[in-house]
Amino acid sequence: MGENKMAYILKDEIKINKPIIFLCGPYYNDLDKSDRRKILQDFLLENFPKKCLPLIIDDFLTKENIGDNEISIQLLEEIFAGISFKTYIFLDTMSSAVELGLFTNSAYNNSLYIMLPYEKERNCGNIGVFTSNVVLEDNADRITVRYYHPKIERIAFSTDNVGEFYKFINDCLPEKIRKDILQDYAENINLEHEIQIAHKEDYPQNDYCVNYQYNNTENSLIVFISVKLLFYIICGIVYSEYTENLRKKEKLDFDSYNIYTTVAHLKSLIMAFLMKHTFVGINSKTKVDIQTVLTRNIEDIVKHIISFIFTYHKNSRLKGYFLVGKNEIIKELELQISPVDFFDLTVKDIEILNLFKNKPDDFFSTFEIKTGYKKRKITTYKNNIYGNAMRELHQKICLVLNKQYVFDIHSYAYQKNKSVKKCIECHKKSKSFLKFDIHKFFNSIDKRKLSQKLLYEFELDEIYEEQLLNVLDICFDEEKMPIGLITSPILSDIYMKKFDVEFSNELGENYIYTRYADDILVSSANNISLEEEIRITRLLVSKLKVLGLKMNNKKYMKRNLKAIGDYVKYLGINIVVAKNGNIITVGKTYKNYIAKTYLRYIEIDDENREEKFYLGKKIAGYLSFVNMIEGEDGLKKIYTRIEKSTKGEIKIEGKITDL
């Protein structure tokens, strides 16, 4: 597991409480009460203090205020055009006509509200016939045009040069414009936006869509985002890092280090967001390139956005208004490792994952085996390129899990240093036993619940749960964890770990609890009363229910050992009451079965070599099990049974090893 680090994460749904509104037009004068933009700004702030942030950039954005010759006003204007939710333009002059051209750029999605004096009351030469008759008409879907009766001031600069200046009559918003704005903000201002993702190699048409292209070979990622989304992300980062500097209106020189750090945060944020929602191989080592419709590199754009933020807070007449709340678009958290990094998944591994989604039948096959009176479905890997590749990937997953996972002390299955014998030995001195079985254990494991267990156990980040579910998909067959896959044992144990801890704690110190896969044994040195039996059973049922599991009522058993010879059987092993205390044995029946099987083995002629070979392997396994449980004494008892059943015709000296 890698070291955790603080990181910024883009929210799935962002809420921009005060969307930026630009107020454009000529001749701004903050001291002039009749300035139309100031009148409009005050109206918006008064009526919608929590719904918008109306900015007059002439108010603060000057070369003197910026104080950095490397900052391009032209680039800043291009950024402004991309970030406004709505733009109001007083279309009086050619300079305002230029602004109109900038804001009607097809690359941006902002809506525009144009205020024009009635044609008979204005000097058309101020804005040009082309602008008034063509530009506005061609952009009718984005532009609302409202005409009003102006108060006109004319100033003679010379005998043949008379300037014409427009104001509002009585320094009040015209009634029609006022009604338009009130209705617009009541109905059309959307503060909440869901961030979408598209696998495309071009710029998104939606301001709140992230397009991306991932190169498997080079492990590189190209991200295409809108200027608006980029702006707000940078705002979130800057406010998280430099809030106090901004509040104190401190001068902060953003050198190459500051810019590099901010861009690094930005790339990490975007990558984490895509890792959360996609599964194409993106990992912590992926190289990220972020692009917008602006022709400048990302470092330059970020520098200009930061310059704008600091200049605004230091010089704007709007005091205390943040461009965006730092928690509205991003959140800062301790970012933990992703599943791709945790399992060290390669491009090939992810290809297998994606292939499995489309053609799951190419990887696994199933067959049935009969155990006693019931049939059991077994899943195995197909003997083809797909099945072999999946087996290798499963081995890789198991290797990682076994290296990182710490088994609970009450679990005894699937571990190198534990065995059936050690499990049984825990209960050797007990006198009262409750035996439980989990109904259809593997097949009942819930994939999403399992993912939660894995996230917690290995400190994987919850934001990557969908990615983890993609990994778990290949460990399930038809949405069920199958018997037979090499991943099922350890995954099932991880699934039960919290159960083991909680169940054993709530049982109490008078009880011994062990679990071997789906077999559960509770025992005590004292007699378990009916009241306690009911309590323990109910506790177990309720704990299993949380996991979506059920107790197999048919296999439930209570057993008390009182007299010599009494026994309880668990996992094929007996705990038997003897003269000098309880002993552990495989039982007479099992030993007799081995002896009979051996006699059948020696009767098979050499022509049936294959049959004899496999039966010999079985017998060797049986003997190994007896040796583990009872040692040499157990083996000798089997040899004695063989000799007696053949009336001494077969003499066994030493061990049966060469079968």
Side-chain angles (χ1 to χ4, degrees):
M1 288 179 277
E3 294 185 2
N4 300 343
K5 59 180 181 179
M6 297 306 293
Y8 302 109
I9 303 296
L10 181 62
K11 292 185 175 182
D12 293 349
E13 293 182 357
I14 62 175
K15 186 176 181 180
I16 300 172
N17 284 316
K18 293 180 180 173
I20 292 173
I21 308 297
F22 280 131
L23 312 182
C24 302
Y27 320 123
Y28 176 72
N29 185 351
D30 183 35
L31 301 177
D32 185 359
K33 293 182 179 181
S34 65
D35 188 282
R36 290 166 300 169
R37 281 194 283 172
K38 189 174 184 302
I39 292 170
L40 179 56
Q41 186 182 50
D42 290 342
F43 176 79
L44 289 167
L45 289 172
E46 181 183 350
N47 287 276
F48 310 104
K50 296 181 179 180
K51 251 191 171 183
C52 70
L53 183 59
L55 297 183
I56 303 171
I57 59 176
D58 314 52
D59 172 36
F60 60 91
L61 205 67
T62 64
K63 281 283 187 181
E64 292 74 22
N65 288 342
I66 294 171
D68 188 344
N69 293 327
E70 293 183 359
I71 298 298
S72 166
I73 296 294
Q74 181 182 350
L75 179 56
L76 284 175
E77 289 176 345
E78 290 183 61
I79 293 171
F80 303 152
I83 68 176
S84 66
F85 285 77
K86 197 174 189 71
T87 303
Y88 294 92
I89 301 178
F90 292 94
L91 196 57
D92 297 353
T93 64
M94 288 303 296
S95 63
S96 58
V98 172
E99 289 180 320
L100 174 63
L102 185 65
F103 282 96
T104 53
N105 189 314
S106 61
Y108 305 125
N109 299 312
N110 54 315
S111 62
L112 296 106
Y113 189 99
I114 308 300
M115 286 167 281
L116 269 169
Y118 280 104
E119 189 172 353
K120 293 181 180 179
E121 300 180 56
R122 72 174 189 266
N123 180 359
C124 287
N126 283 5
I127 62 170
V129 175
F130 176 81
T131 301
S132 61
N133 296 341
V134 178
V135 175
L136 297 181
E137 290 182 8
D138 288 350
N139 294 276
D141 58 327
R142 295 175 57 197
I143 297 177
T144 300
V145 181
R146 178 63 70 190
Y147 296 94
Y148 67 97
H149 295 287
K151 181 174 75 174
I152 302 173
E153 292 183 358
R154 293 183 175 90
I155 299 175
F157 298 107
S158 65
T159 51
D160 58 353
N161 184 11
V162 179
E164 198 170 83
F165 301 92
Y166 308 115
K167 295 185 177 182
F168 291 140
I169 297 172
N170 298 324
D171 297 334
C172 293
L173 277 176
E175 188 61 24
K176 288 183 179 180
I177 294 175
R178 177 189 290 265
K179 286 182 178 179
D180 282 349
I181 294 173
L182 290 172
Q183 183 177 354
D184 193 22
Y185 281 82
E187 299 176 358
N188 299 323
I189 297 297
N190 183 18
L191 303 178
E192 297 182 2
H193 308 273
E194 182 180 353
I195 305 297
Q196 299 174 357
I197 298 174
H199 189 245
K200 294 181 179 179
E201 195 173 4
D202 59 7
Y203 302 108
Q205 298 298 309
N206 179 351
D207 283 334
Y208 304 98
C209 183
V210 177
N211 290 357
Y212 74 94
Q213 193 70 30
Y214 178 65
N215 187 313
N216 291 334
T217 307
E218 299 180 1
N219 193 20
S220 61
L221 179 71
I222 302 176
V223 177
F224 307 89
I225 65 173
S226 70
V227 175
K228 185 181 292 182
L229 184 57
L230 174 65
F231 175 83
Y232 280 107
I233 292 173
I234 297 300
C235 281
I237 295 172
V238 169
Y239 288 151
S240 294
E241 294 280 327
Y242 305 105
T243 300
E244 288 304 310
N245 304 86
L246 291 167
R247 283 180 175 154
K248 296 176 182 178
K249 297 186 180 295
E250 294 178 351
K251 173 75 174 168
L252 189 66
D253 294 323
F254 271 84
D255 55 21
S256 57
Y257 173 77
N258 299 121
I259 300 301
Y260 172 82
T261 303
T262 305
V263 172
H265 285 324
L266 171 67
K267 290 181 177 181
S268 172
L269 181 151
I270 295 292
M271 188 168 66
F273 184 76
L274 290 173
M275 288 173 69
K276 176 183 176 182
H277 293 284
T278 66
F279 200 68
V280 293
I282 301 169
N283 55 61
S284 59
K285 299 176 183 178
T286 301
K287 295 174 287 188
V288 184
D289 178 25
I290 299 174
Q291 297 185 12
T292 71
V293 293
L294 303 175
T295 56
R296 303 291 189 95
N297 63 54
I298 192 65
E299 288 78 13
D300 203 16
I301 297 171
V302 168
K303 182 177 181 178
H304 278 71
I305 291 173
I306 292 172
S307 177
F308 171 77
I309 295 169
F310 273 84
T311 304
Y312 162 76
H313 280 280
K314 188 173 178 61
N315 302 107
S316 173
R317 82 180 186 97
L318 297 182
K319 309 300 182 185
Y321 287 90
F322 276 58
L323 297 166
V324 67
K326 67 178 181 180
N327 297 321
E328 291 175 20
I329 193 164
I330 66 171
K331 56 183 176 181
E332 189 177 13
L333 48 75
E334 189 176 347
L335 188 62
Q336 298 163 325
I337 195 168
S338 73
V340 171
D341 289 317
F342 178 72
F343 291 111
D344 194 23
L345 299 180
T346 64
V347 172
K348 181 185 175 184
D349 296 334
I350 292 169
E351 284 178 358
I352 294 169
L353 287 162
N354 291 325
L355 282 170
F356 181 79
K357 283 184 180 181
N358 299 321
K359 295 182 177 180
D361 295 338
D362 290 347
F363 293 85
F364 302 141
S365 61
T366 60
F367 62 93
E368 288 185 340
I369 60 171
K370 193 173 181 180
T371 54
Y373 295 101
K374 69 177 184 178
K375 294 180 179 178
R376 182 170 287 184
K377 184 179 177 182
I378 306 295
T379 300
T380 188
Y381 306 92
K382 282 190 174 181
N383 188 23
N384 58 23
I385 57 172
Y386 301 108
N388 294 334
M390 184 63 78
R391 183 191 294 273
E392 288 181 9
L393 181 53
H394 278 184
Q395 288 171 340
K396 180 179 183 177
I397 290 171
C398 285
L399 187 66
V400 172
L401 292 175
N402 278 299
K403 186 178 179 180
Q404 301 287 352
Y405 181 54
V406 179
F407 287 84
D408 184 69
I409 59 172
H410 302 94
S411 173
Y412 281 82
Y414 322 127
Q415 302 170 61
K416 283 185 178 180
N417 299 321
K418 288 185 177 181
S419 63
V420 174
K421 184 180 181 181
K422 288 184 177 181
C423 181
I424 297 295
E425 283 178 337
C426 297
H427 303 272
K428 186 177 179 181
K429 296 180 180 180
S430 296
K431 294 180 180 179
S432 192
F433 301 83
L434 299 176
K435 190 167 73 168
F436 304 93
D437 181 86
I438 302 173
H439 182 65
K440 295 183 178 179
F441 177 43
F442 278 13
N443 290 171
S444 301
I445 288 174
D446 183 273
K447 186 169 33 177
R448 189 166 287 277
K449 285 187 174 72
L450 175 60
S451 73
Q452 289 292 324
K453 304 287 183 186
L454 288 163
L455 290 171
Y456 175 80
E457 181 67 28
F458 301 111
E459 297 182 350
L460 307 179
D461 207 293
E462 288 189 3
I463 70 167
Y464 303 129
E465 184 178 5
E466 291 302 317
Q467 190 182 97
L468 180 58
L469 285 167
N470 278 318
V471 177
L472 290 178
D473 279 343
I474 63 170
C475 303
F476 282 68
D477 186 24
E478 297 179 351
E479 294 302 308
K480 293 182 179 180
M481 180 181 286
I483 300 170
L485 298 186
I486 57 180
T487 52
S488 295
I490 190 166
L491 288 175
S492 68
D493 199 86
I494 295 168
Y495 194 74
M496 295 297 295
K497 184 173 181 177
K498 187 179 180 182
F499 170 91
D500 291 334
V501 174
E502 293 181 351
F503 184 65
S504 61
N505 288 340
E506 293 184 41
L507 274 176
E509 58 185 13
N510 294 326
Y511 296 97
I512 298 167
Y513 160 69
T514 62
R515 181 181 58 82
Y516 198 95
D518 57 347
D519 291 295
I520 292 171
L521 189 62
V522 176
S523 70
S524 175
N526 305 311
N527 182 59
I528 300 175
S529 66
L530 177 60
E531 183 181 2
E532 275 294 280
E533 179 186 358
I534 293 171
R535 180 186 76 86
I536 293 169
T537 303
R538 286 177 175 174
L539 176 64
L540 180 133
V541 169
S542 66
K543 294 291 183 184
L544 289 178
K545 188 177 180 180
V546 174
L547 296 170
L549 303 175
K550 296 180 180 179
M551 183 179 94
N552 188 344
N553 294 317
K554 292 180 180 180
K555 291 189 176 182
Y556 171 70
M557 185 196 73
K558 182 182 181 182
R559 184 66 57 88
N560 293 320
L561 305 185
K562 298 177 181 179
I564 293 175
D566 287 350
Y567 72 94
V568 60
K569 190 172 186 177
Y570 181 64
L571 300 173
I573 302 173
N574 298 318
I575 299 176
V576 184
V577 180
K579 288 183 180 180
N580 299 319
N582 294 350
I583 60 171
I584 295 175
T585 174
V586 298
K588 294 179 181 179
T589 303
Y590 190 70
K591 292 170 187 165
N592 288 334
Y593 173 76
I594 297 173
K596 289 178 181 179
T597 305
Y598 179 73
L599 293 175
R600 183 158 58 89
Y601 167 81
I602 61 177
E603 290 176 356
I604 299 173
D605 54 41
D606 293 336
E607 292 180 2
N608 296 313
R609 291 180 181 178
E610 187 174 350
E611 182 186 355
K612 193 166 186 172
F613 173 80
Y614 285 109
L615 189 59
K617 292 295 182 185
K618 281 186 178 182
I619 295 168
Y622 299 152
L623 293 172
S624 178
F625 181 70
V626 173
N627 187 47
M628 178 184 69
I629 304 302
E630 298 186 24
E632 291 289 334
D633 289 341
L635 294 177
K636 287 178 180 178
K637 290 176 181 177
I638 296 172
Y639 303 157
T640 301
R641 282 170 169 76
I642 294 171
E643 291 175 356
K644 284 183 177 180
S645 63
T646 60
K647 297 180 180 181
E649 291 182 11
I650 296 178
K651 291 282 187 181
I652 299 175
E653 297 182 6
K655 294 182 181 179
I656 301 174
T657 55
D658 189 15
L659 297 179

